[in-house]
Structures are given as C-alpha cells and as structure tokens.
C-alpha cells in the first residue's frame, strides 16, 4: 500500500480505498484552488505542488477523519488548507535558506527570484485563509494559532540559541513549532471537524506533533545519507549552509580528540566543495549518525505509545505503521 507517496504496509482494504479516493479528491481540489486568472500566478503556485511531495499532512487529515465521519464534507477542504499552508512555508523557507533545489526541482526563488517566491507563498497563505473561513470559527482560530507557532519557530531558528543555551534543546523547540505544529493540526482537525470526541482530538494532536518531529529528524539523517534522487535536494545542503541538524549537533558535542577535524569543519558554513565533501564523509562515518537514529526511534516510539487510547480500528494500525516508516527510512 502506498498512501500519499509513503510506502505504508496494507492494513485494511476498505481503508486503503477510502484513503486513495480522498487523496485523489484533495489533489484535484489543490489544483483548483491555486488557479488564478493571472497565468503566471498559477504557474508559480503550482510549481512546488507539481514537483510532488509526500502529502503527509493530508494523509493525517484523512486518517484522523476515520475516528469521526470519514465521508464528512470537511475532509477535503481542511486537507487542502493545511497543504496550501505547508506549500506556502516551503516558498518562504527556500528564500531564507537560499535553496537551489526543492523536491528535486529548482526552487521557486532559483527559477524566478526571491520576490516571486515570497509573493507566491503569500498567495498560497491567502487561499488557505479564504478556504478556512468556511470550516468555522474554531478551525480558523486553530489555524491562526498554528501559523503563529510556525512563524515563531522560524524566527527562533533564524536567531539561533541564546548564549549558553543547549543547541539540541533549541533545535527541538524549533522543530516543535516549525514542523510539529502544522502536522499536529492536520491530525487534530481531521478528527475534530468530522465529529470525533474531544478525547480523540487530544490524542491525535499529541500524536501529530510527535510523529512530525520524528519525521523531520529522519529527514535530517536522509539529507546526509541519501542522494538527490531520494531526498529531492543536494546531499548535505544544510551542512553546506551551516544549518544545524540533529547529527551535526550531536557530533559537535564530542570531546574525542579524533573528532577535532570534524568539529573544525562544522564550525562554519561549508561553501568550499572539498571541505563540504570531507565533512560529509566524516559525518557519515561518525557515531552521531547512529545516535541520531536512536533519537528518531525514541520519538517514533513515543508517538506510537500516544495512540493507545484510540479505538482499535484500521486507521490506528495505519498510524502505527507511520511510526515504523519514520524509523525504517533512516536505515
């Protein structure tokens, strides 16, 4: 079974059919919503959407709805809202990171320029906000609060940790706001807007945040270990730009004299190709990589444990399978 580009094992034929159907409907609605009378706006807005993606947030909306009414008319619009929000943040992130590739395709800022990328992100945010109004005041408030957390996470990342603060603690706080919050909201609103109980809404929120952090941390590992075809960006992109990620932060804690060269290389952005390649090789062979995998496993285990209060239905098994997937993709 492949849900939203994720190689999930098949847990139930009926669930698989519903998920496939819903994700197809969401994809069609995404295309309709980004369309503009101004052709260039449509082209720019569709750019990252057409480059693919896992549709992780829509998948969690659809699975969350299984604990309420899976056929609710709210499923497609809320999934579209949250994916539009995610796509908008990608446009803005690429400008801040000066990224060249996104999902294996030229980023919007590389294809056009930063102004186009920023304005395209703003356009997608506007479309998401317009759609959200029809889902009720509670949904609007949750979305606004989530957006606030996204921005706070980005600001915290930009400013870096305070003097004397632990870099890893700071990084996890950034991920909780910048990545975990929107994934948590996806799982939450999928349940809430389809009639699930407040208790289930709470469980889905907790699960979404934990699996979101685990997924991002696994991406940190993949950025160092996979090639461009797998990760959709040049290996070691964050390393080159001096952006701290989980393996880097763990390696920087080392007091082993044998790691002196790696620590030196990691002390600044690696714009020189030879230094970048050397650091990438040293990191790939460093115990920090296995330590990072252990941390991903811990977050995935915590996410799986949070599912315990949910009713034993196929959707719960699918959510547990997501936890296994997060870990297996780092191997």
């Amino acid at each position: 079974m492949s849900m939203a580009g994720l190689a999930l094992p098949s847990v139930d034929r009926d669930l698989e059919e519903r998920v496939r159907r819903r994700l197809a409907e969401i994809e069609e609605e995404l295309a309709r919503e980004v369309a503009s009378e101004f052709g260039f706006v449509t082209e720019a807005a569709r750019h990252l959407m057409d480059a693919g993606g896992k549709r992780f947030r829509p998948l969690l909306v659809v699975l969350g709805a299984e604990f309420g009414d899976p056929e609710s008319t709210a499923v497609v619009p809320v999934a579209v809202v949250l994916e539009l929000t995610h796509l908008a943040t990608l446009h803005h992130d690429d400008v801040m990171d000066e990224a060249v590739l996104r999902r294996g395709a030229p980023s919007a800022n590389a294809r056009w320029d930063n102004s186009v990328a920023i304005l395209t992100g703003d356009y997608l945010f506007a479309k998401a906000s317009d759609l959200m109004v029809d889902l009720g005041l509670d949904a609007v408030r949750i979305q606004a609060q989530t957006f606030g957390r996204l921005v706070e996470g980005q600001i915290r990342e930009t400013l870096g940790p305070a003097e004397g603060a632990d870099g890893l603690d700071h990084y996890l706080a950034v991920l909780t706001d910048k990545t975990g919050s929107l994934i948590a909201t996806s799982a939450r609103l999928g349940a809430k807007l389809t009639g699930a109980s407040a208790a289930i809404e709470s469980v889905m929120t907790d699960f979404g945040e934990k699996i979101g952090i685990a997924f991002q941390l696994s991406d940190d590992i993949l950025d160092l270990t996979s090639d461009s075809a797998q990760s959709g960006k040049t290996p070691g992109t964050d390393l080159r730009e001096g952006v701290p990620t989980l393996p880097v932060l763990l390696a920087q804690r080392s007091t082993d004299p044998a790691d002196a060269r790696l620590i030196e290389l990691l002390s600044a952005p690696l714009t020189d190709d030879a230094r970048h390649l050397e650091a990438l090789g040293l990191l790939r062979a460093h115990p920090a990589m296995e330590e990072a995998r252990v941390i991903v496993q811990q977050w995935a285990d915590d996410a799986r444990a949070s599912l315990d209060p949910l009713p034993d239905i196929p959707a719960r098994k699918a959510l547990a399978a997501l936890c296994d997937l997060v870990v297996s993709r780092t191997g």
Side-chain angles (χ1 to χ4, degrees):
M1 176 179 183
S2 178
M3 295 190 199
L6 299 171
L8 279 174
S10 181
V11 295
D12 180 83
R13 184 173 296 178
D14 290 340
L15 174 63
E16 180 177 354
E17 191 281 327
R18 281 195 301 276
V19 169
R20 288 185 186 280
R21 172 168 52 84
R22 280 305 203 185
L23 290 175
E25 292 170 1
I26 291 163
E27 205 66 26
E28 291 173 2
E29 188 62 25
L30 273 170
R32 281 193 288 268
E33 288 299 327
V34 302
S36 165
E37 293 181 5
F38 183 26
F40 178 77
V41 173
T42 303
E43 180 186 2
R46 287 190 62 105
H47 178 61
L48 289 185
M49 191 182 85
D50 290 345
K54 304 175 189 69
R55 301 293 188 255
F56 192 46
R57 292 149 193 82
L59 175 61
L60 285 180
V61 171
V62 172
L63 291 176
E66 289 290 316
F67 299 94
D69 174 12
E71 300 301 332
S72 169
T73 56
V75 174
V76 172
V78 74
V80 169
V81 164
L82 296 169
E83 188 66 6
L84 287 175
T85 302
H86 172 56
L87 290 168
T89 65
L90 295 185
H91 280 83
H92 288 176
D93 281 355
D94 284 347
V95 171
M96 297 187 71
D97 297 342
E98 299 180 350
V100 176
L101 286 179
R102 170 69 73 173
R103 296 175 174 174
S107 60
N109 49 304
R111 179 170 175 178
W112 294 290
D113 59 28
N114 284 346
S115 296
V116 168
I118 291 169
L119 291 170
T120 301
D122 292 346
Y123 173 75
L124 294 173
F125 277 131
K127 298 295 288 186
S129 298
D130 185 44
L131 269 178
M132 185 57 90
V133 172
D134 294 331
L135 296 171
L137 184 58
D138 280 351
V140 170
R141 182 176 292 112
I142 290 169
Q143 174 71 352
Q145 292 169 346
T146 302
F147 187 37
R149 288 185 64 190
L150 285 168
V151 175
E152 286 179 358
Q154 185 66 66
I155 291 172
R156 188 181 287 116
E157 181 181 59
T158 302
L159 294 177
E163 187 174 351
D166 183 82
L168 183 56
D169 288 345
H170 171 267
Y171 181 59
L172 291 174
V174 167
L175 292 192
T176 300
D177 284 341
K178 186 180 171 184
T179 302
S181 63
L182 188 60
I183 293 175
T185 294
S186 300
R188 177 184 184 181
L189 290 181
K192 178 183 179 65
L193 296 182
T194 59
S197 69
I200 286 179
E201 178 188 342
S202 177
V203 169
M204 292 300 295
T205 305
D206 185 38
F207 170 81
E209 191 150 301
K210 288 174 177 174
I211 197 66
I213 294 169
F215 211 84
Q216 181 57 56
L217 293 177
S218 70
D219 272 354
D220 285 359
I221 297 171
L222 287 175
D223 177 52
L224 295 172
T225 60
S226 63
D227 58 29
S228 298
Q230 290 175 292
S231 64
K233 61 180 181 178
T234 305
T237 297
D238 292 330
L239 184 66
R240 182 181 293 278
E241 296 167 358
V243 176
T245 57
L246 180 60
V248 169
L249 290 165
L250 292 171
Q252 286 177 324
R253 289 181 164 187
S254 173
T255 57
D256 187 340
D259 291 332
R261 176 58 176 168
L262 176 59
I263 300 300
E264 176 194 346
L265 289 167
L266 296 178
S267 64
L270 294 161
T271 53
D272 178 78
D273 287 346
R275 288 170 63 87
H276 175 262
L277 189 61
E278 182 185 0
L280 188 58
L282 289 172
L283 255 182
R284 285 173 169 173
H286 196 276
M289 296 299 294
E290 185 54 36
E291 190 178 350
R293 291 186 177 95
V294 169
I295 291 174
V296 171
Q297 179 76 64
Q298 290 169 342
W299 277 100
D301 288 346
D302 285 348
R304 184 186 294 102
S306 71
L307 297 172
D308 287 348
L310 293 178
D312 187 15
I313 62 174
R316 175 176 157 178
K317 293 182 176 66
L319 293 171
L322 276 178
C323 300
D324 296 330
L325 173 65
V326 166
V327 175
S328 65
R329 69 201 290 262
T330 67

